[in-house]
Coordinates of all heavy atoms in Angstrom, one line a residue:
S56 N 53.8 -3.9 -32.6 CA 54.6 -2.9 -33.3 C 54.5 -3.1 -34.8 O 54.1 -4.2 -35.2 CB 56.0 -2.9 -32.9 OG 56.6 -4.2 -33.3
R57 N 54.9 -2.2 -35.5 CA 55.0 -2.3 -37.0 C 55.9 -3.4 -37.4 O 55.7 -4.2 -38.3 CB 55.4 -1.0 -37.6 CG 55.4 -1.0 -39.1 CD 55.8 0.3 -39.7 NE 56.9 0.1 -40.6 CZ 57.8 1.0 -40.9 NH1 57.8 2.1 -40.4 NH2 58.7 0.6 -41.8
E58 N 57.0 -3.5 -36.7 CA 58.0 -4.5 -36.9 C 57.5 -5.9 -36.7 O 57.7 -6.9 -37.5 CB 59.3 -4.3 -36.1 CG 60.1 -3.1 -36.4 CD 59.4 -1.8 -35.9 OE1 58.6 -1.9 -34.9 OE2 59.7 -0.7 -36.4
A59 N 56.7 -6.1 -35.6 CA 56.1 -7.4 -35.3 C 55.1 -7.7 -36.4 O 55.0 -8.9 -36.9 CB 55.4 -7.4 -34.0
A60 N 54.3 -6.7 -36.9 CA 53.3 -7.0 -37.9 C 54.0 -7.4 -39.2 O 53.5 -8.3 -39.9 CB 52.5 -5.7 -38.1
E61 N 55.1 -6.7 -39.6 CA 55.8 -7.1 -40.8 C 56.4 -8.5 -40.7 O 56.3 -9.2 -41.7 CB 56.8 -6.0 -41.1 CG 56.2 -4.7 -41.5 CD 57.3 -3.6 -41.7 OE1 58.5 -3.8 -41.5 OE2 56.8 -2.5 -42.1
A62 N 57.0 -8.8 -39.6 CA 57.5 -10.1 -39.4 C 56.4 -11.2 -39.5 O 56.6 -12.2 -40.1 CB 58.3 -10.2 -38.1
G63 N 55.3 -10.9 -38.9 CA 54.2 -11.8 -38.9 C 53.7 -12.0 -40.3 O 53.4 -13.1 -40.8
R64 N 53.6 -10.9 -41.1 CA 53.1 -10.9 -42.5 C 54.1 -11.8 -43.3 O 53.6 -12.6 -44.1 CB 53.1 -9.5 -43.1 CG 52.5 -9.6 -44.5 CD 52.8 -8.2 -45.2 NE 54.1 -7.7 -45.2 CZ 55.1 -8.2 -46.0 NH1 54.9 -9.2 -46.8 NH2 56.3 -7.7 -45.9
R65 N 55.3 -11.7 -43.1 CA 56.3 -12.5 -43.9 C 56.1 -14.0 -43.6 O 56.2 -14.8 -44.5 CB 57.7 -12.1 -43.6 CG 58.1 -10.8 -44.3 CD 59.6 -10.5 -44.2 NE 60.1 -10.4 -42.8 CZ 60.1 -9.3 -42.1 NH1 59.7 -8.2 -42.6 NH2 60.6 -9.3 -40.8
T66 N 55.8 -14.3 -42.4 CA 55.6 -15.7 -42.0 C 54.2 -16.2 -42.5 O 54.1 -17.4 -43.0 CB 55.6 -15.9 -40.5 OG1 56.9 -15.4 -40.0 CG2 55.4 -17.3 -40.1
V67 N 53.2 -15.5 -42.4 CA 51.8 -16.0 -42.6 C 51.3 -15.8 -44.1 O 50.4 -16.4 -44.5 CB 50.8 -15.5 -41.6 CG1 51.1 -15.9 -40.2 CG2 50.6 -14.0 -41.8
A68 N 52.0 -14.9 -44.8 CA 51.5 -14.6 -46.2 C 51.5 -15.9 -47.0 O 50.4 -16.2 -47.7 CB 52.4 -13.6 -46.9
P69 N 52.5 -16.8 -47.0 CA 52.4 -18.0 -47.8 C 51.2 -18.9 -47.3 O 50.6 -19.6 -48.1 CB 53.7 -18.7 -47.6 CG 54.7 -17.6 -47.1 CD 53.8 -16.6 -46.4
L70 N 51.0 -18.9 -46.0 CA 49.9 -19.7 -45.4 C 48.6 -19.2 -45.8 O 47.6 -19.9 -46.1 CB 50.0 -19.8 -43.9 CG 51.2 -20.6 -43.3 CD1 51.3 -20.4 -41.8 CD2 51.1 -22.0 -43.7
A71 N 48.4 -17.8 -45.8 CA 47.2 -17.2 -46.3 C 46.9 -17.6 -47.7 O 45.8 -17.9 -48.1 CB 47.3 -15.7 -46.1
A72 N 48.0 -17.6 -48.5 CA 47.8 -18.0 -50.0 C 47.3 -19.4 -50.1 O 46.5 -19.7 -51.0 CB 49.1 -17.8 -50.7
A73 N 47.7 -20.3 -49.2 CA 47.4 -21.7 -49.2 C 46.1 -22.0 -48.5 O 45.3 -22.9 -49.0 CB 48.5 -22.5 -48.7
H74 N 45.8 -21.3 -47.4 CA 44.7 -21.7 -46.5 C 43.5 -20.8 -46.5 O 42.4 -21.1 -45.9 CB 45.2 -22.0 -45.1 CG 46.1 -23.1 -45.0 ND1 45.7 -24.4 -45.0 CD2 47.5 -23.1 -45.0 CE1 46.8 -25.2 -44.9 NE2 47.9 -24.4 -44.9
V75 N 43.6 -19.5 -47.0 CA 42.6 -18.6 -46.9 C 42.1 -18.2 -48.3 O 40.9 -18.3 -48.7 CB 43.0 -17.3 -46.1 CG1 41.9 -16.3 -46.1 CG2 43.4 -17.7 -44.7
V76 N 43.0 -17.7 -49.1 CA 42.7 -17.1 -50.4 C 41.9 -18.1 -51.3 O 41.0 -17.7 -52.0 CB 43.9 -16.6 -51.2 CG1 43.6 -16.1 -52.6 CG2 44.5 -15.4 -50.3
P77 N 42.2 -19.4 -51.3 CA 41.5 -20.3 -52.2 C 40.0 -20.4 -51.8 O 39.2 -20.8 -52.7 CB 42.2 -21.7 -52.0 CG 43.5 -21.4 -51.5 CD 43.4 -20.1 -50.7
H78 N 39.6 -20.0 -50.6 CA 38.2 -20.1 -50.2 C 37.5 -18.8 -50.4 O 36.3 -18.8 -50.3 CB 38.1 -20.5 -48.7 CG 38.9 -21.7 -48.4 ND1 38.6 -23.0 -49.0 CD2 40.0 -21.9 -47.6 CE1 39.5 -23.9 -48.5 NE2 40.3 -23.3 -47.7
A79 N 38.2 -17.7 -50.7 CA 37.6 -16.4 -50.9 C 36.9 -16.4 -52.3 O 37.3 -17.0 -53.3 CB 38.6 -15.3 -50.9
T80 N 35.7 -15.7 -52.3 CA 35.0 -15.6 -53.6 C 35.4 -14.3 -54.3 O 35.0 -14.2 -55.5 CB 33.5 -15.5 -53.3 OG1 33.2 -14.4 -52.4 CG2 33.0 -16.8 -52.7
E81 N 36.2 -13.5 -53.7 CA 36.8 -12.3 -54.3 C 38.2 -12.2 -53.7 O 38.5 -12.6 -52.6 CB 36.0 -11.0 -54.0 CG 34.6 -11.0 -54.5 CD 33.8 -9.8 -54.0 OE1 34.4 -8.8 -53.5 OE2 32.6 -9.8 -54.1

Side-chain angles (χ1 to χ4, degrees):
S56 65
R57 184 177 128 206
E58 295 77 19
E61 290 175 357
R64 181 192 55 77
R65 285 191 299 273
T66 302
V67 300
L70 292 171
H74 295 280
V75 178
V76 175
H78 307 299
T80 58
E81 298 175 15

